[in-house]
Amino acid sequence: MKAIVVEHRGDPGALKEVPTPSPGPHEILVRVTAAGVNPIDWKSRDRGDRTLPFILGQDFAGVVSATGSRASKYREGERLFGIARAHGTYAEYTIVGEDDNATPIAKLPDGIGDADAAALPTAGLTALAALGALEVGSGTTLLILGVTGGVGGFAAQIARDRGARVIGTGRSSNEALARSFGADTFIGYDRENVVEAVKAASPGGTDAVLDLVDGDDAIGAMADVIKNGGRIVSTIGAADIDAFARRGITAQNIVVGQTPSWSHAGLRTLLELVEQGRLRVTIAAERDLSDAVGALEESKRGRVNGKLVITVD
Ligand SMILES: NC(=O)c1ccc[n+]([C@@H]2O[C@H](COP(=O)([O-])OP(=O)(O)OC[C@H]3O[C@@H](n4cnc5c(N)ncnc54)[C@H](OP(=O)(O)O)[C@@H]3O)[C@@H](O)[C@H]2O)c1
């Protein structure tokens, strides 16, 4: 099969012909139709801590091609989507456990397309995990730093669906996109001072902040815009928990794979939201498998709005 393989440290990955894997007794062989691109794909490649060689990618949509001798939950020809970390998804085939909560999967209804499904798992589950940790509900004022990206777009929509008021930051030229995700108030970080703009938009302070912005050290200043007793979650490990605690704020650095949202049920929640028209997937662009390394470079530049998806023929 064709796959984007990283063979040595510093290798950005390249399209190679490799043997198609065989499923173990409780595993499923999936013919991949689309793979979602996430920053973790290039981050884990660049960190260089994975056993070599490996295939890039973790989010997928596809069709069951074969099942292991003891796998009974899925049938050949069924569509499914989810996470396949160990085997990678920038490939014509991948392997998933039929019931392994570390790599959640779910059946895919006919009404949801391959690209939309492949865009959902990591970013969607992260949005659910973050909103859970932030206790976002009706009446919550939530600030999302990075509302125009993959996680931010899903988080804004789900927060609005739960009755929250959303303030979101992004590049000023992306205001329309941010508003389409449900941002009630939009702050262009390249045009306004974010802290001052949040104070003006929410003079009493916000209840919750979701920090999604890599390499931005502005998170410390968020203590000035969060109410006493409020919460902040960072997905990039940037929150100084003790410093926030001294200001009466509960801070968490979440790792989505260690949260309850990272589950088969979490994926089914996302499907339900999409099927009920409460969550929309915005595809920034679709790239061929042969362009996957270029797609990772696009993601690394930090300017992907919505989700980038690799399509596999
Ligand atoms: N801890 C975990 O388990 C976990 C899980 C998922 C994701 N993450 C991390 O969370 C981060 C977000 O993930 P993602 O999938 O949403 O990434 P993404 O889709 O690549 O995010 C790109 C977005 O970042 C925005 N952005 C860049 N600089 C900004 C700034 N200074 N202020 C506001 N927005 C800015 C861009 O908006 P503009 O184009 O409008 O500037 C763009 O829309 C990544 O670092 C990712 O690795 C962690």
Side-chain angles (χ1 to χ4, degrees):
M1 68 171 185
K2 290 191 181 66
I4 304 290
V5 185
V6 175
E7 290 189 320
H8 54 85
R9 305 271 174 246
D11 177 5
L15 190 66
K16 299 267 153 108
E17 193 68 36
V18 296
T20 302
S22 306
H26 291 286
E27 292 180 333
I28 301 164
L29 177 68
V30 177
R31 181 171 60 77
V32 178
T33 52
V37 175
N38 293 287
I40 189 66
D41 299 345
W42 54 263
K43 287 183 183 182
S44 62
R45 175 196 67 183
D46 294 356
R47 268 201 308 264
D49 54 5
R50 289 194 60 178
T51 307
L52 296 164
F54 67 89
I55 296 171
L56 283 160
Q58 66 180 27
D59 286 3
F60 75 92
V63 178
V64 177
S65 175
T67 54
S69 55
R70 294 182 169 208
S72 57
K73 293 199 164 165
Y74 297 88
R75 277 193 310 279
E76 205 180 314
E78 263 180 334
R79 298 174 72 224
L80 74 169
F81 82 122
I83 314 266
R85 261 183 176 164
H87 285 267
T89 57
Y90 294 6
E92 289 179 310
Y93 291 89
T94 190
I95 298 268
V96 288
E98 70 161 350
D99 192 12
D100 176 3
N101 245 329
T103 53
I105 55 173
K107 288 182 189 175
L108 195 50
D110 287 341
I112 300 180
D114 292 328
D116 282 7
L120 277 170
T122 297
L125 295 179
T126 305
L128 289 178
L131 297 180
L134 289 167
E135 299 181 359
V136 169
S138 179
T140 304
T141 299
L142 168 69
L143 168 64
I144 301 179
L145 301 170
V147 78
T148 56
V151 178
F154 290 142
Q157 294 180 68
I158 299 168
R160 272 289 298 266
D161 185 65
R162 292 182 184 179
R165 173 187 170 213
V166 175
I167 303 171
T169 71
R171 207 172 350 142
S172 48
S173 55
N174 280 332
E175 175 161 358
L177 179 68
R179 291 202 183 276
S180 79
F181 288 148
D184 300 281
T185 302
F186 174 75
I187 299 169
Y189 62 79
D190 53 346
R191 193 177 52 190
E192 294 172 80
N193 176 296
V194 171
V195 170
E196 294 311 318
V198 176
K199 283 181 180 166
S202 189
T206 64
D207 301 294
V209 173
L210 172 55
D211 170 43
L212 303 165
V213 181
D214 252 334
D216 191 351
D217 53 11
I219 184 169
M222 290 303 127
D224 292 340
V225 303
I226 304 173
K227 282 179 190 160
N228 197 281
R231 295 178 175 270
I232 183 163
V233 159
S234 174
T235 61
I236 55 162
D240 180 336
I241 290 164
D242 294 337
F244 278 110
R246 286 195 290 275
R247 303 282 299 269
I249 297 160
T250 304
Q252 285 180 69
N253 292 304
I254 62 162
V255 176
V256 63
Q258 297 169 9
T259 68
S261 300
W262 191 260
S263 61
H264 308 305
L267 288 179
R268 288 195 295 270
T269 299
L270 293 172
L271 283 182
E272 231 174 78
L273 288 169
V274 173
E275 283 189 296
Q276 293 170 3
R278 295 154 62 196
L279 180 65
R280 192 172 35 82
V281 179
T282 297
I283 304 289
E286 294 185 28
R287 305 275 179 243
D288 287 340
L289 181 60
S290 57
D291 292 336
V293 177
L296 283 187
E297 293 316 305
E298 280 180 67
S299 168
K300 201 170 169 177
R301 284 194 288 276
R303 291 284 174 270
V304 173
N305 304 129
K307 289 294 302 178
L308 202 51
V309 171
I310 291 162
T311 50
V312 186
D313 295 330

